[in-house]
Amino acid sequence: MDVPFLSLRDVNSRHADELKAAVARVIDSGWYILGEELAAFEREFAAYCGVRHAIGTGNGLDALSLVLRAWREMGELVEGDEVIVPANTFIASFLAITENGLQPVPVEPDPRTFNIDPARVEAAIGPRTRVIMPVHLYGQLADMGAMAEIAGRRGLLLLEDAAQAHGAVHTGTRAGAFGHAAAFSFFPTKNLGALGDAGAVVTDDDQLATYVAALRNYGSEVKYDHPMRGINSRLDEMQAAILRVKLRHLDADSARRRAIAALYREGIDHPGILLPAVAREEAHVWHLFVVRCAWRDALQRHLHALGIQTQVHYPVPPHHQAAYPELAHLRLPVTEQLHDEVLSLPMSPVLSDAQVAQVVAACRAFAEAAA
Ligand SMILES: *Cc1c(COP(=O)(O)O)cnc(C)c1O
């Protein structure tokens, strides 16, 4: 039996009847952009996150970018201000910063949790630092107690990149409710995934919410009145209706992901394969299950030969991408080593116990032969 990395067909076919009814409702409504489905999803997702406002956007990158753009319009940020960001994130976190004329300051992670290291954040703060942007990487909340303490003491803005962590909780607070604002992606592979591109900004700040809502819609609150230069990045009615269905199943999916992660952690217990460290069970929603292995490429080949699909998140860190020649001189040894060692095992709520057992057995066989 092959084990796919992630079968989106199987993920979505579980809800086929509900999804088709939602899409039919939108088709029949005759209203496709900025309508009742989006307003309802924004209310429901804000309530889920425990914040006052959610503003739908075209995708997760735009959600991140629109927060920074709104802060520039509000006079909180000026060109050249610095944003602290994890060095080992997906490139979207960096793109949101640079497309707003801001400067990314990459900070190394704790290699056990993969999340940004609070002590190194403190050390990276300089006179131009204005924003800390932690990423809840692979679905695990960054140390938000430490981030909020540092941001508060140093007078910095805190923006969560929550694209991988829908529903992760720490002491009753959900991902998205820790910072001044947060950005979510609903890309199809994310834990809460649309059937196309979609994203959202969430915040408790009324003024920021007003700015983001205008900026995503040509900088306009009143039709044909444009006090700001906005963009066109809206979450359409079809995707909003689909996301309302999938939001109702998110917590059950997170529970299943946790159960799969528990099976992996119990089963793959061998020094040849380093397991991810978990600070608190409920603070991780296992967007990805990422192990480290000194012989990563050989492990990946071994698994593929057995029909088990894996991926690498991510093979090249942003500061080594050709898009950022100005960052190429940086030496970030923790990040660079992680990119050579990480391997993402199959993970999704539709994986069966038998498939998980197959992955566990294949990993153990490799580790015992290699060690
Ligand atoms: C997916 C992702 C994004 C971007 O989301 P899109 O919807 O693909 O634009 C941003 N940051 C992180 C960490 C992501 O995983």
Side-chain angles (χ1 to χ4, degrees):
M1 172 179 43
D2 280 1
V3 185
F5 183 73
L6 165 64
S7 167
L8 286 178
R9 179 205 293 262
D10 291 347
V11 166
N12 289 308
S13 67
R14 298 175 298 162
H15 315 301
D17 291 344
E18 278 182 281
L19 291 171
K20 286 174 184 170
V23 168
R25 192 169 70 231
V26 174
I27 293 171
D28 293 344
S29 77
W31 192 280
Y32 307 114
I33 299 282
L34 295 181
E36 284 172 16
E37 295 289 345
L38 177 61
F41 175 67
E42 288 175 338
R43 276 195 307 276
E44 289 159 11
F45 192 63
Y48 179 81
C49 294
V51 296
R52 290 159 62 90
H53 306 281
I55 305 102
T57 59
N59 55 67
L61 170 59
D62 284 353
L64 275 175
S65 182
L66 283 167
V67 172
L68 296 172
R69 194 176 178 115
W71 280 335
R72 284 205 62 177
E73 291 288 343
M74 290 160 69
E76 299 276 355
L77 300 176
V78 296
E79 179 153 11
D81 279 348
E82 291 177 357
V83 180
I84 289 177
V85 63
N88 59 323
T89 183
F90 178 54
I91 195 147
S93 317
F94 278 60
L95 291 172
I97 297 168
T98 54
E99 74 184 19
N100 284 289
L102 305 168
Q103 187 64 40
V105 177
V107 168
E108 294 263 55
D110 178 332
R112 293 161 304 174
T113 63
F114 306 112
N115 269 327
I116 197 165
D117 181 340
R120 294 178 192 257
V121 169
E122 185 91 50
I125 295 172
R128 293 298 305 267
T129 307
R130 292 295 299 133
V131 182
I132 306 176
M133 187 201 286
V135 178
H136 306 311
L137 202 68
Y138 308 147
Q140 176 157 232
L141 291 177
D143 184 344
M144 293 312 291
M147 293 303 127
E149 191 279 320
I150 296 169
R153 179 161 44 76
R154 308 292 292 256
L156 304 175
L157 294 162
L158 188 55
L159 169 56
E160 295 167 67
D161 181 341
Q164 302 187 355
H166 319 70
V169 190
H170 177 47
T171 55
T173 303
R174 278 224 171 94
F178 293 95
H180 296 103
F184 285 90
S185 166
F186 308 117
F187 184 74
T189 62
K190 303 288 158 104
N191 289 28
L192 177 56
L195 305 189
D197 274 315
V201 171
V202 303
T203 183
D204 271 328
D205 181 333
D206 298 344
Q207 191 192 12
L208 178 66
T210 304
Y211 271 78
V212 170
L215 285 168
R216 74 169 171 185
N217 187 33
Y218 299 115
S220 166
E221 274 180 81
V222 177
K223 203 168 186 184
Y224 302 129
D225 179 31
H226 301 273
M228 298 179 291
R229 296 180 192 178
I231 62 171
N232 176 3
S233 183
R234 301 169 301 213
L235 199 173
D236 67 70
E237 290 289 285
M238 204 82 85
Q239 299 306 335
I242 286 164
L243 286 166
R244 292 180 70 195
V245 170
K246 295 195 70 182
L247 179 57
R248 295 198 284 272
H249 301 285
L250 177 60
D251 286 344
D253 279 0
S254 299
R256 177 64 191 149
R257 288 172 184 274
R258 280 193 193 105
I260 292 166
L263 293 172
Y264 276 153
R265 285 156 67 204
E266 282 158 32
I268 313 170
D269 190 15
H270 190 284
I273 298 179
L274 290 179
L275 294 167
V278 183
R280 283 177 194 79
E281 295 296 327
E282 61 171 9
H284 207 325
V285 289
W286 300 102
H287 172 57
L288 296 169
F289 191 93
V290 177
V291 298
R292 292 169 57 195
C293 180
W295 313 280
R296 189 262 315 276
D297 294 342
L299 173 59
Q300 184 170 42
R301 279 194 299 275
H302 169 81
L303 295 176
H304 285 199
L306 295 169
I308 297 167
Q309 290 178 8
T310 62
Q311 293 187 13
V312 173
H313 297 90
Y314 300 93
V316 180
H319 73 285
H320 281 169
Q321 295 285 351
Y324 287 113
E326 70 274 33
L327 302 179
H329 69 281
L330 294 176
R331 289 290 159 265
L332 297 161
V334 178
T335 296
E336 287 157 21
Q337 187 178 352
L338 284 179
H339 282 74
D340 290 337
E341 292 185 355
V342 290
L343 188 67
S344 305
L345 302 182
M347 172 55 83
S348 78
V350 296
L351 223 52
S352 69
D353 285 1
Q355 288 175 312
V356 175
Q358 201 180 325
V359 178
V360 166
C363 286
R364 280 206 69 100
F366 176 87
E368 279 155 20

